[in-house]
């Protein structure tokens, strides 16, 4: 399984053709760091990043 990050919302998925969070179809395999969001509504970081669903996210995309 190869992980990749959604270029729209930065959710990290394995082997998906469509992002389960935002339904985006553009992914990158180049990113730095992980953020694990457990409760998006209580996380200031999640709100700042526009994350609404719990999951694993890329901290920063590098193209
Ligand atoms: Zn997405």
């Amino acid at each position: 399984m190869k992980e990749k990050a959604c270029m729209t919302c930065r959710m990290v998925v394995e082997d998906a053709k469509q992002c389960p969070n935002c339904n985006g179809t553009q992914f990158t395999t180049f990113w730095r760091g992980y953020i694990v969001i457990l409760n998006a509504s209580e996380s200031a970081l999640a709100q700042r990043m526009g994350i609404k669903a719990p999951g694993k996210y890329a901290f920063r995309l590098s193209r």
Side-chain angles (χ1 to χ4, degrees):
M1 287 292 196
K2 192 169 189 180
E3 288 185 319
K4 53 190 179 178
C6 174
M7 293 182 74
T8 305
C9 70
R10 296 191 241 175
M11 188 178 216
V12 174
V13 297
E14 288 180 3
D15 234 24
K17 288 193 170 59
Q18 200 172 33
C19 173
N21 185 48
C22 72
N23 295 324
T25 54
Q26 287 191 295
F27 296 92
T28 178
T29 54
F30 300 97
W31 75 85
R32 294 179 183 202
Y34 285 119
I35 300 169
V36 176
I37 301 296
L38 300 176
N39 190 333
S41 62
E42 289 182 4
S43 167
L45 182 63
Q47 289 178 7
R48 194 159 62 87
M49 290 175 65
I51 293 169
K52 295 184 176 62
K56 191 158 74 171
Y57 291 83
F59 180 65
R60 176 174 296 189
L61 300 182
S62 56
R63 225 181 234 282

CSV table of all heavy atoms in Angstrom, one decimal:
chain,number,residue,atom,x,y,z
A,1,MET,N,0.8,-1.2,0.0
A,1,MET,CA,0.0,0.0,0.0
A,1,MET,C,0.9,1.3,0.0
A,1,MET,O,1.8,1.4,0.8
A,1,MET,CB,-0.9,0.0,1.2
A,1,MET,CG,-2.0,-1.0,1.2
A,1,MET,SD,-3.2,-0.5,-0.1
A,1,MET,CE,-4.6,-1.5,0.5
A,2,LYS,N,0.6,2.1,-0.9
A,2,LYS,CA,1.3,3.4,-0.9
A,2,LYS,C,0.5,4.5,-0.5
A,2,LYS,O,-0.6,4.7,-1.0
A,2,LYS,CB,1.8,3.6,-2.4
A,2,LYS,CG,2.8,4.7,-2.4
A,2,LYS,CD,3.5,4.8,-3.8
A,2,LYS,CE,4.7,5.7,-3.8
A,2,LYS,NZ,5.3,5.8,-5.1
A,3,GLU,N,1.0,5.3,0.4
A,3,GLU,CA,0.2,6.4,1.0
A,3,GLU,C,0.4,7.6,0.1
A,3,GLU,O,1.4,7.9,-0.5
A,3,GLU,CB,0.7,6.8,2.4
A,3,GLU,CG,0.3,5.8,3.4
A,3,GLU,CD,0.7,6.2,4.8
A,3,GLU,OE1,1.8,6.8,4.9
A,3,GLU,OE2,-0.1,6.0,5.7
A,4,LYS,N,-0.7,8.4,0.0
A,4,LYS,CA,-0.6,9.6,-0.8
A,4,LYS,C,-1.6,10.6,-0.1
A,4,LYS,O,-2.5,10.3,0.6
A,4,LYS,CB,-1.0,9.4,-2.2
A,4,LYS,CG,-2.4,8.7,-2.4
A,4,LYS,CD,-2.6,8.3,-3.8
A,4,LYS,CE,-3.9,7.6,-4.0
A,4,LYS,NZ,-4.2,7.2,-5.4
A,5,ALA,N,-1.3,11.9,-0.4
A,5,ALA,CA,-2.0,13.0,0.3
A,5,ALA,C,-2.9,13.7,-0.7
A,5,ALA,O,-2.4,14.1,-1.8
A,5,ALA,CB,-1.0,13.9,1.0
A,6,CYS,N,-4.1,14.0,-0.3
A,6,CYS,CA,-5.0,14.7,-1.1
A,6,CYS,C,-4.5,16.2,-1.2
A,6,CYS,O,-4.1,16.8,-0.3
A,6,CYS,CB,-6.4,14.8,-0.4
A,6,CYS,SG,-7.6,15.8,-1.3
A,7,MET,N,-4.5,16.7,-2.5
A,7,MET,CA,-3.9,18.0,-2.7
A,7,MET,C,-4.9,19.1,-2.3
A,7,MET,O,-4.6,20.3,-2.2
A,7,MET,CB,-3.5,18.2,-4.1
A,7,MET,CG,-2.3,17.3,-4.5
A,7,MET,SD,-1.8,17.5,-6.2
A,7,MET,CE,-0.9,19.1,-6.1
A,8,THR,N,-6.1,18.7,-2.1
A,8,THR,CA,-7.2,19.7,-1.7
A,8,THR,C,-7.2,19.9,-0.2
A,8,THR,O,-7.1,21.0,0.3
A,8,THR,CB,-8.5,19.3,-2.2
A,8,THR,OG1,-8.4,19.1,-3.7
A,8,THR,CG2,-9.6,20.3,-2.0
A,9,CYS,N,-7.4,18.8,0.5
A,9,CYS,CA,-7.6,18.9,2.0
A,9,CYS,C,-6.4,18.2,2.7
A,9,CYS,O,-6.4,18.3,4.0
A,9,CYS,CB,-8.9,18.2,2.4
A,9,CYS,SG,-8.9,16.4,2.2
A,10,ARG,N,-5.5,17.6,2.1
A,10,ARG,CA,-4.3,17.0,2.7
A,10,ARG,C,-4.5,15.7,3.4
A,10,ARG,O,-3.7,15.3,4.2
A,10,ARG,CB,-3.6,18.0,3.6
A,10,ARG,CG,-3.1,19.2,2.9
A,10,ARG,CD,-2.2,20.0,3.7
A,10,ARG,NE,-2.7,21.3,3.9
A,10,ARG,CZ,-2.2,22.2,4.8
A,10,ARG,NH1,-1.1,21.9,5.5
A,10,ARG,NH2,-2.7,23.4,4.9
A,11,MET,N,-5.7,15.1,3.3
A,11,MET,CA,-5.9,13.9,4.0
A,11,MET,C,-5.0,12.8,3.3
A,11,MET,O,-4.8,12.7,2.1
A,11,MET,CB,-7.4,13.4,3.8
A,11,MET,CG,-7.7,12.2,4.6
A,11,MET,SD,-9.4,11.8,4.5
A,11,MET,CE,-9.8,11.2,6.2
A,12,VAL,N,-4.4,12.0,4.2
A,12,VAL,CA,-3.5,10.9,3.7
A,12,VAL,C,-4.3,9.6,3.6
A,12,VAL,O,-5.0,9.2,4.5
A,12,VAL,CB,-2.3,10.7,4.7
A,12,VAL,CG1,-1.5,9.5,4.3
A,12,VAL,CG2,-1.5,11.9,4.7
A,13,VAL,N,-4.3,9.1,2.4
A,13,VAL,CA,-5.1,7.8,2.1
A,13,VAL,C,-4.2,6.8,1.5
A,13,VAL,O,-3.1,7.1,1.0
A,13,VAL,CB,-6.2,8.1,1.1
A,13,VAL,CG1,-7.2,9.1,1.8
A,13,VAL,CG2,-5.7,8.7,-0.2
A,14,GLU,N,-4.6,5.6,1.5
A,14,GLU,CA,-3.9,4.5,0.9
A,14,GLU,C,-4.7,3.9,-0.3
A,14,GLU,O,-5.8,3.5,-0.1
A,14,GLU,CB,-3.6,3.3,1.8
A,14,GLU,CG,-2.6,3.7,2.9
A,14,GLU,CD,-2.4,2.5,3.9
A,14,GLU,OE1,-3.0,1.5,3.6
A,14,GLU,OE2,-1.6,2.7,4.8
A,15,ASP,N,-4.1,4.1,-1.5
A,15,ASP,CA,-4.7,3.4,-2.6
A,15,ASP,C,-6.1,3.8,-2.9
A,15,ASP,O,-7.0,3.0,-3.3
A,15,ASP,CB,-4.7,1.9,-2.4
A,15,ASP,CG,-4.0,1.2,-3.5
A,15,ASP,OD1,-3.2,1.8,-4.2
A,15,ASP,OD2,-4.3,0.0,-3.7
A,16,ALA,N,-6.5,5.0,-2.8
A,16,ALA,CA,-7.8,5.5,-3.1
A,16,ALA,C,-7.8,6.3,-4.3
A,16,ALA,O,-6.8,7.0,-4.6
A,16,ALA,CB,-8.4,6.3,-1.9
A,17,LYS,N,-8.8,6.2,-5.1
A,17,LYS,CA,-8.9,7.0,-6.3
A,17,LYS,C,-9.6,8.4,-6.0
A,17,LYS,O,-9.4,9.3,-6.8
A,17,LYS,CB,-9.7,6.3,-7.4
A,17,LYS,CG,-8.9,5.1,-8.0
A,17,LYS,CD,-9.5,4.6,-9.3
A,17,LYS,CE,-8.6,3.6,-10.0
A,17,LYS,NZ,-8.3,2.5,-9.1
A,18,GLN,N,-10.3,8.4,-5.0
A,18,GLN,CA,-11.0,9.6,-4.6
A,18,GLN,C,-10.9,9.8,-3.1
A,18,GLN,O,-10.9,8.9,-2.3
A,18,GLN,CB,-12.5,9.4,-5.0
A,18,GLN,CG,-13.3,10.7,-5.1
A,18,GLN,CD,-14.7,10.5,-5.6
A,18,GLN,OE1,-15.3,9.5,-5.3
A,18,GLN,NE2,-15.2,11.5,-6.4
A,19,CYS,N,-10.7,11.1,-2.7
A,19,CYS,CA,-10.5,11.4,-1.3
A,19,CYS,C,-11.8,11.2,-0.6
A,19,CYS,O,-12.8,11.7,-0.9
A,19,CYS,CB,-10.1,12.9,-1.2
A,19,CYS,SG,-10.0,13.4,0.5
A,20,PRO,N,-11.7,10.4,0.6
A,20,PRO,CA,-13.0,10.2,1.3
A,20,PRO,C,-13.4,11.4,2.1
A,20,PRO,O,-14.6,11.4,2.6
A,20,PRO,CB,-12.6,9.1,2.3
A,20,PRO,CG,-11.1,9.1,2.3
A,20,PRO,CD,-10.6,9.7,1.0
A,21,ASN,N,-12.6,12.4,2.2
A,21,ASN,CA,-12.9,13.6,3.0
A,21,ASN,C,-13.6,14.7,2.1
A,21,ASN,O,-14.6,15.2,2.4
A,21,ASN,CB,-11.7,14.2,3.7
A,21,ASN,CG,-12.1,15.3,4.6
A,21,ASN,OD1,-13.0,15.3,5.3
A,21,ASN,ND2,-11.3,16.4,4.4
A,22,CYS,N,-13.0,15.0,1.0
A,22,CYS,CA,-13.5,16.1,0.1
A,22,CYS,C,-13.8,15.6,-1.3
A,22,CYS,O,-14.2,16.5,-2.1
A,22,CYS,CB,-12.4,17.2,0.1
A,22,CYS,SG,-11.0,16.8,-1.0
A,23,ASN,N,-13.7,14.3,-1.6
A,23,ASN,CA,-14.0,13.8,-2.9
A,23,ASN,C,-13.0,14.3,-4.0
A,23,ASN,O,-13.3,14.2,-5.2
A,23,ASN,CB,-15.4,14.1,-3.3
A,23,ASN,CG,-16.4,13.4,-2.4
A,23,ASN,OD1,-16.2,12.2,-2.0
A,23,ASN,ND2,-17.5,14.0,-2.1
A,24,GLY,N,-11.9,14.9,-3.6
A,24,GLY,CA,-11.0,15.3,-4.5
A,24,GLY,C,-10.3,14.1,-5.2
A,24,GLY,O,-10.2,13.0,-4.7
A,25,THR,N,-9.7,14.3,-6.4
A,25,THR,CA,-9.1,13.3,-7.1
A,25,THR,C,-7.6,13.5,-7.4
A,25,THR,O,-7.0,12.8,-8.2
A,25,THR,CB,-9.8,13.0,-8.5
A,25,THR,OG1,-9.9,14.2,-9.2
A,25,THR,CG2,-11.2,12.5,-8.2
A,26,GLN,N,-7.1,14.6,-6.9
A,26,GLN,CA,-5.7,14.9,-7.1
A,26,GLN,C,-4.9,14.6,-5.9
A,26,GLN,O,-5.2,15.1,-4.8
A,26,GLN,CB,-5.5,16.4,-7.5
A,26,GLN,CG,-6.0,16.7,-8.9
A,26,GLN,CD,-5.6,18.0,-9.4
A,26,GLN,OE1,-6.0,19.0,-8.8
A,26,GLN,NE2,-4.7,18.1,-10.4
A,27,PHE,N,-3.8,13.8,-6.0
A,27,PHE,CA,-3.0,13.4,-4.9
A,27,PHE,C,-1.6,13.6,-5.2
A,27,PHE,O,-1.1,13.7,-6.3
A,27,PHE,CB,-3.3,11.9,-4.6
A,27,PHE,CG,-4.7,11.6,-4.2
A,27,PHE,CD1,-5.6,11.2,-5.1
A,27,PHE,CD2,-5.0,11.6,-2.9
A,27,PHE,CE1,-6.9,10.9,-4.8
A,27,PHE,CE2,-6.3,11.3,-2.5
A,27,PHE,CZ,-7.3,10.9,-3.4
A,28,THR,N,-0.8,13.7,-4.1
A,28,THR,CA,0.6,13.8,-4.2
A,28,THR,C,1.3,12.8,-3.3
A,28,THR,O,0.7,12.5,-2.2
A,28,THR,CB,1.2,15.2,-3.9
A,28,THR,OG1,2.6,15.2,-4.0
A,28,THR,CG2,0.8,15.7,-2.6
A,29,THR,N,2.4,12.3,-3.6
A,29,THR,CA,3.2,11.4,-2.7
A,29,THR,C,4.3,12.2,-2.0
A,29,THR,O,5.1,11.6,-1.3
A,29,THR,CB,3.7,10.2,-3.5
A,29,THR,OG1,4.5,10.7,-4.6
A,29,THR,CG2,2.6,9.3,-4.0
A,30,PHE,N,4.4,13.5,-2.2
A,30,PHE,CA,5.4,14.3,-1.6
A,30,PHE,C,4.8,15.2,-0.6
A,30,PHE,O,4.1,16.1,-0.9
A,30,PHE,CB,6.1,15.1,-2.7
A,30,PHE,CG,6.8,14.3,-3.8
A,30,PHE,CD1,6.1,14.0,-5.0
A,30,PHE,CD2,8.0,13.7,-3.5
A,30,PHE,CE1,6.7,13.2,-5.9
A,30,PHE,CE2,8.6,12.9,-4.5
A,30,PHE,CZ,8.0,12.7,-5.7
A,31,TRP,N,5.1,14.9,0.7
A,31,TRP,CA,4.7,15.7,1.8
A,31,TRP,C,5.6,15.5,3.0
A,31,TRP,O,6.4,14.6,3.0
A,31,TRP,CB,3.2,15.5,2.1
A,31,TRP,CG,3.0,14.2,2.9
A,31,TRP,CD1,3.1,14.1,4.3
A,31,TRP,CD2,2.6,13.0,2.4
A,31,TRP,NE1,2.8,12.8,4.6
A,31,TRP,CE2,2.5,12.1,3.5
A,31,TRP,CE3,2.4,12.5,1.1
A,31,TRP,CZ2,2.2,10.8,3.4
A,31,TRP,CZ3,2.0,11.1,1.0
A,31,TRP,CH2,2.0,10.3,2.1
A,32,ARG,N,5.5,16.4,3.9
A,32,ARG,CA,6.3,16.4,5.1
A,32,ARG,C,5.4,16.3,6.3
A,32,ARG,O,4.6,17.2,6.5
A,32,ARG,CB,7.2,17.6,5.2
A,32,ARG,CG,8.2,17.7,4.1
A,32,ARG,CD,9.0,18.9,4.3
A,32,ARG,NE,10.0,19.0,3.2
A,32,ARG,CZ,11.1,19.7,3.2
A,32,ARG,NH1,11.4,20.4,4.3
A,32,ARG,NH2,11.9,19.7,2.2
A,33,GLY,N,5.6,15.3,7.1
A,33,GLY,CA,5.0,15.2,8.4
A,33,GLY,C,3.5,14.8,8.4
A,33,GLY,O,2.9,14.9,7.4
A,34,TYR,N,3.1,14.3,9.5
A,34,TYR,CA,1.7,13.9,9.7
A,34,TYR,C,1.0,14.7,10.8
A,34,TYR,O,1.6,15.1,11.8
A,34,TYR,CB,1.6,12.4,10.2
A,34,TYR,CG,1.9,11.4,9.1
A,34,TYR,CD1,3.0,10.6,9.3
A,34,TYR,CD2,1.1,11.3,8.0
A,34,TYR,CE1,3.3,9.6,8.3
A,34,TYR,CE2,1.4,10.3,7.0
A,34,TYR,CZ,2.5,9.5,7.2
A,34,TYR,OH,2.7,8.5,6.3
A,35,ILE,N,-0.3,14.9,10.6
A,35,ILE,CA,-1.1,15.4,11.7
A,35,ILE,C,-2.2,14.4,11.8
A,35,ILE,O,-2.8,14.0,10.8
A,35,ILE,CB,-1.7,16.7,11.3
A,35,ILE,CG1,-0.6,17.8,11.1
A,35,ILE,CG2,-2.7,17.2,12.5
A,35,ILE,CD1,-1.2,19.1,10.5
A,36,VAL,N,-2.5,13.9,13.0
A,36,VAL,CA,-3.6,13.0,13.2
A,36,VAL,C,-4.7,13.8,13.9
A,36,VAL,O,-4.5,14.3,15.0
A,36,VAL,CB,-3.2,11.7,14.1
A,36,VAL,CG1,-4.4,10.9,14.3
A,36,VAL,CG2,-2.1,10.9,13.3
A,37,ILE,N,-5.8,13.9,13.3
A,37,ILE,CA,-6.9,14.6,13.8
A,37,ILE,C,-7.9,13.6,14.4
A,37,ILE,O,-8.4,12.7,13.6
A,37,ILE,CB,-7.6,15.5,12.7
A,37,ILE,CG1,-6.6,16.5,12.2
A,37,ILE,CG2,-8.9,16.2,13.3
A,37,ILE,CD1,-6.1,17.5,13.1
A,38,LEU,N,-8.2,13.7,15.7
A,38,LEU,CA,-9.1,12.7,16.3
A,38,LEU,C,-10.5,13.4,16.4
A,38,LEU,O,-11.5,12.7,16.2
A,38,LEU,CB,-8.6,12.3,17.7
A,38,LEU,CG,-7.2,11.6,17.7
A,38,LEU,CD1,-6.8,11.4,19.1
A,38,LEU,CD2,-7.3,10.3,16.9
A,39,ASN,N,-10.5,14.6,16.7
A,39,ASN,CA,-11.8,15.3,16.9
A,39,ASN,C,-11.7,16.7,16.2
A,39,ASN,O,-11.2,17.6,16.8
A,39,ASN,CB,-12.1,15.4,18.4
A,39,ASN,CG,-13.6,15.9,18.6
A,39,ASN,OD1,-14.1,16.6,17.7
A,39,ASN,ND2,-14.2,15.5,19.7
A,40,ALA,N,-12.1,16.8,15.0
A,40,ALA,CA,-11.9,18.0,14.2
A,40,ALA,C,-12.6,19.2,14.8
A,40,ALA,O,-12.1,20.3,14.8
A,40,ALA,CB,-12.4,17.8,12.8
A,41,SER,N,-13.8,19.0,15.5
A,41,SER,CA,-14.5,20.1,16.0
A,41,SER,C,-13.9,20.7,17.2
A,41,SER,O,-14.1,21.9,17.6
A,41,SER,CB,-16.0,19.7,16.3
A,41,SER,OG,-16.0,18.7,17.3
A,42,GLU,N,-13.0,19.9,17.9
A,42,GLU,CA,-12.4,20.5,19.1
A,42,GLU,C,-10.9,20.8,18.8
A,42,GLU,O,-10.2,21.2,19.8
A,42,GLU,CB,-12.4,19.4,20.2
A,42,GLU,CG,-13.9,19.3,20.7
A,42,GLU,CD,-13.9,18.3,21.9
A,42,GLU,OE1,-12.9,17.8,22.3
A,42,GLU,OE2,-15.0,18.0,22.4
A,43,SER,N,-10.4,20.7,17.6
A,43,SER,CA,-9.0,21.0,17.3
A,43,SER,C,-8.9,22.3,16.6
A,43,SER,O,-9.4,22.5,15.5
A,43,SER,CB,-8.5,19.8,16.5
A,43,SER,OG,-7.2,20.2,15.9
A,44,ALA,N,-8.2,23.2,17.2
A,44,ALA,CA,-8.0,24.5,16.6
A,44,ALA,C,-7.1,24.4,15.3
A,44,ALA,O,-7.4,25.1,14.3
A,44,ALA,CB,-7.2,25.5,17.6
A,45,LEU,N,-6.2,23.4,15.4
A,45,LEU,CA,-5.4,23.2,14.2
A,45,LEU,C,-6.2,22.7,13.0
A,45,LEU,O,-6.1,23.1,11.9
A,45,LEU,CB,-4.3,22.2,14.5
A,45,LEU,CG,-3.3,21.8,13.4
A,45,LEU,CD1,-2.5,23.1,13.0
A,45,LEU,CD2,-2.4,20.7,13.9
A,46,ALA,N,-7.1,21.8,13.3
A,46,ALA,CA,-8.0,21.2,12.3
A,46,ALA,C,-8.9,22.3,11.7
A,46,ALA,O,-9.0,22.4,10.5
A,46,ALA,CB,-8.9,20.1,12.9
A,47,GLN,N,-9.3,23.2,12.5
A,47,GLN,CA,-10.2,24.3,12.0
A,47,GLN,C,-9.4,25.2,11.2
A,47,GLN,O,-9.8,25.7,10.1
A,47,GLN,CB,-10.8,25.0,13.2
A,47,GLN,CG,-11.9,24.2,13.9
A,47,GLN,CD,-12.5,24.9,15.1
A,47,GLN,OE1,-12.3,26.0,15.3
A,47,GLN,NE2,-13.4,24.1,15.8
A,48,ARG,N,-8.1,25.5,11.6
A,48,ARG,CA,-7.3,26.4,10.8
A,48,ARG,C,-7.0,25.8,9.4
A,48,ARG,O,-6.8,26.5,8.4
A,48,ARG,CB,-6.0,26.6,11.6
A,48,ARG,CG,-5.2,27.8,11.0
A,48,ARG,CD,-4.2,28.3,12.1
A,48,ARG,NE,-3.3,27.3,12.5
A,48,ARG,CZ,-2.1,27.1,11.9
A,48,ARG,NH1,-1.8,27.8,10.9
A,48,ARG,NH2,-1.3,26.2,12.4
A,49,MET,N,-6.9,24.4,9.4
A,49,MET,CA,-6.6,23.8,8.1
A,49,MET,C,-7.8,23.4,7.3
A,49,MET,O,-7.7,22.9,6.2
A,49,MET,CB,-5.8,22.5,8.4
A,49,MET,CG,-4.4,22.7,8.9
A,49,MET,SD,-3.6,21.2,9.3
A,49,MET,CE,-3.5,20.3,7.7
A,50,GLY,N,-9.0,23.7,7.9
A,50,GLY,CA,-10.2,23.4,7.2
A,50,GLY,C,-10.6,22.0,7.2
A,50,GLY,O,-11.2,21.5,6.2
A,51,ILE,N,-10.1,21.2,8.2
A,51,ILE,CA,-10.4,19.8,8.3
A,51,ILE,C,-11.6,19.5,9.0
A,51,ILE,O,-11.8,20.1,10.1
A,51,ILE,CB,-9.2,19.1,9.0
A,51,ILE,CG1,-7.9,19.2,8.1
A,51,ILE,CG2,-9.5,17.6,9.3
A,51,ILE,CD1,-6.7,18.7,8.8
A,52,LYS,N,-12.5,18.7,8.5
A,52,LYS,CA,-13.8,18.5,9.1
A,52,LYS,C,-13.9,17.0,9.6
A,52,LYS,O,-14.8,16.7,10.4
A,52,LYS,CB,-14.9,18.9,8.2
A,52,LYS,CG,-15.0,20.4,7.9
A,52,LYS,CD,-16.2,20.7,7.1
A,52,LYS,CE,-16.3,22.2,6.9
A,52,LYS,NZ,-15.1,22.8,6.2
A,53,ALA,N,-13.2,16.1,9.0
A,53,ALA,CA,-13.3,14.7,9.3
A,53,ALA,C,-12.1,14.3,10.0
A,53,ALA,O,-11.0,14.7,9.7
A,53,ALA,CB,-13.5,13.9,8.0
A,54,PRO,N,-12.2,13.4,11.0
A,54,PRO,CA,-11.0,12.8,11.7
A,54,PRO,C,-10.2,11.9,10.7
A,54,PRO,O,-10.8,11.4,9.8
A,54,PRO,CB,-11.6,12.0,12.8
A,54,PRO,CG,-13.0,11.7,12.4
A,54,PRO,CD,-13.5,12.8,11.5
A,55,GLY,N,-8.9,11.9,10.9
A,55,GLY,CA,-8.1,11.1,10.1
A,55,GLY,C,-6.6,11.5,10.1
A,55,GLY,O,-6.3,12.3,11.0
A,56,LYS,N,-5.9,11.0,9.2
A,56,LYS,CA,-4.5,11.4,9.1
A,56,LYS,C,-4.2,12.4,8.0
A,56,LYS,O,-4.7,12.2,6.9
A,56,LYS,CB,-3.6,10.1,8.9
A,56,LYS,CG,-2.2,10.3,9.1
A,56,LYS,CD,-1.5,9.0,9.4
A,56,LYS,CE,-1.4,8.1,8.2
A,56,LYS,NZ,-0.5,6.9,8.4
A,57,TYR,N,-3.5,13.4,8.3
A,57,TYR,CA,-3.3,14.5,7.3
A,57,TYR,C,-1.9,14.8,7.1
A,57,TYR,O,-1.1,14.7,8.1
A,57,TYR,CB,-4.1,15.7,7.7
A,57,TYR,CG,-5.6,15.6,7.6
A,57,TYR,CD1,-6.3,15.0,8.7
A,57,TYR,CD2,-6.3,15.9,6.5
A,57,TYR,CE1,-7.7,14.8,8.6
A,57,TYR,CE2,-7.7,15.7,6.4
A,57,TYR,CZ,-8.3,15.2,7.5
A,57,TYR,OH,-9.7,14.9,7.4
A,58,ALA,N,-1.5,15.3,5.9
A,58,ALA,CA,-0.2,15.7,5.7
A,58,ALA,C,0.0,17.1,6.3
A,58,ALA,O,-0.9,18.0,6.1
A,58,ALA,CB,0.1,15.8,4.2
A,59,PHE,N,1.1,17.3,7.0
A,59,PHE,CA,1.4,18.6,7.6
A,59,PHE,C,1.6,19.7,6.5
A,59,PHE,O,1.1,20.8,6.5
A,59,PHE,CB,2.5,18.5,8.6
A,59,PHE,CG,2.8,19.8,9.2
A,59,PHE,CD1,1.9,20.4,10.1
A,59,PHE,CD2,4.0,20.5,9.0
A,59,PHE,CE1,2.1,21.6,10.7
A,59,PHE,CE2,4.3,21.7,9.6
A,59,PHE,CZ,3.3,22.3,10.5
A,60,ARG,N,2.5,19.3,5.6
A,60,ARG,CA,2.8,20.3,4.5
A,60,ARG,C,3.0,19.5,3.2
A,60,ARG,O,3.8,18.6,3.2
A,60,ARG,CB,4.1,21.0,4.9
A,60,ARG,CG,4.5,22.0,3.8
A,60,ARG,CD,5.7,22.8,4.3
A,60,ARG,NE,5.3,23.7,5.4
A,60,ARG,CZ,6.0,24.6,5.9
A,60,ARG,NH1,7.2,24.8,5.4
A,60,ARG,NH2,5.6,25.4,6.9
A,61,LEU,N,2.4,20.0,2.2
A,61,LEU,CA,2.7,19.4,0.9
A,61,LEU,C,3.9,20.0,0.2
A,61,LEU,O,4.1,21.2,0.3
A,61,LEU,CB,1.5,19.6,-0.1
A,61,LEU,CG,0.1,19.0,0.4
A,61,LEU,CD1,-0.9,19.3,-0.7
A,61,LEU,CD2,0.2,17.5,0.7
A,62,SER,N,4.7,19.2,-0.4
A,62,SER,CA,5.8,19.7,-1.1
A,62,SER,C,5.7,19.3,-2.6
A,62,SER,O,6.6,18.7,-3.1
A,62,SER,CB,7.1,19.3,-0.5
A,62,SER,OG,7.2,17.9,-0.4
A,63,ARG,N,4.6,19.7,-3.2
A,63,ARG,CA,4.4,19.5,-4.6
A,63,ARG,C,4.2,18.0,-5.0
A,63,ARG,O,5.1,17.2,-5.0
A,63,ARG,CB,5.6,19.9,-5.3
A,63,ARG,CG,5.4,20.8,-6.5
A,63,ARG,CD,6.7,21.1,-7.1
A,63,ARG,NE,6.7,22.6,-7.2
A,63,ARG,CZ,6.1,23.2,-8.1
A,63,ARG,NH1,5.4,22.5,-9.0
A,63,ARG,NH2,6.1,24.5,-8.2
B,1,LIG,ZN1,-9.3,15.6,0.2
